[in-house]
Amino acid sequence: MDNFLKSNEMVNYPSAIEVFEQALAGFRANDPLPWITLLDDDALLELPFNPPGQPKRLSGKKAILSYFESLPASIDFESFSEVFIHSLDDRDWVVAELTAKGTIQASGKTYDNRYVIVMNTSEGQIRLQRDYFNPLTAIDS
């Protein structure tokens, strides 16, 4: 009986798709707070295409937030389009593709970038997020 209750309890948590959609809704409103709230304290953010001198892996919610606060180029997102969400057999994993458009605050230049995001969640919290995108788009702007 214990195993039955535990498996039913796990179903009550949002799936990775639902967590991704919550985070994206916040970014669509130009509000990163929903994403921040969804990050597990031990979350891992991987940015495999970050240029030399920039971290490719950030471990822990505090480190992730500190990194984003230190970035010189903040982006005012205006739209997210061409959003394709790919469900996987495991409800705690999702892969999403999207195009983000906005304005670089410091320069006023247009930001236009394509993302592929791999996300793993546990109990409705983001445990791993791996963002594949061209970081030079923001740096060059």
Side-chain angles (χ1 to χ4, degrees), residues 21-95:
E21 288 174 336
Q22 289 173 24
L24 183 58
F27 282 109
R28 281 189 160 133
N30 229 353
D31 179 8
L33 188 58
W35 177 71
I36 292 166
T37 303
L38 291 165
L39 286 172
D40 186 85
D41 288 340
D42 296 322
L44 180 62
L45 176 64
E46 294 181 354
L47 305 162
F49 295 144
N50 254 0
Q54 293 291 317
K56 295 188 185 306
R57 184 180 178 122
L58 297 158
S59 185
K61 186 175 189 172
K62 288 181 183 178
I64 294 167
L65 296 180
S66 178
Y67 170 73
F68 282 105
E69 288 169 355
S70 73
L71 289 177
S74 293
I75 302 164
D76 285 327
F77 290 108
E78 294 158 11
S79 70
F80 294 89
S81 61
E82 300 174 3
V83 178
F84 300 101
I85 299 172
H86 307 282
S87 64
L88 304 175
D89 288 339
D90 185 333
R91 70 185 304 271
D92 291 331
W93 285 91
V94 67
V95 175

Side-chain angles (χ1 to χ4, degrees), residues 1-10:
M1 186 71 152
D2 261 352
N3 288 340
F4 176 75
L5 292 175
K6 287 180 183 177
S7 67
N8 276 345
E9 287 172 354
M10 290 181 2

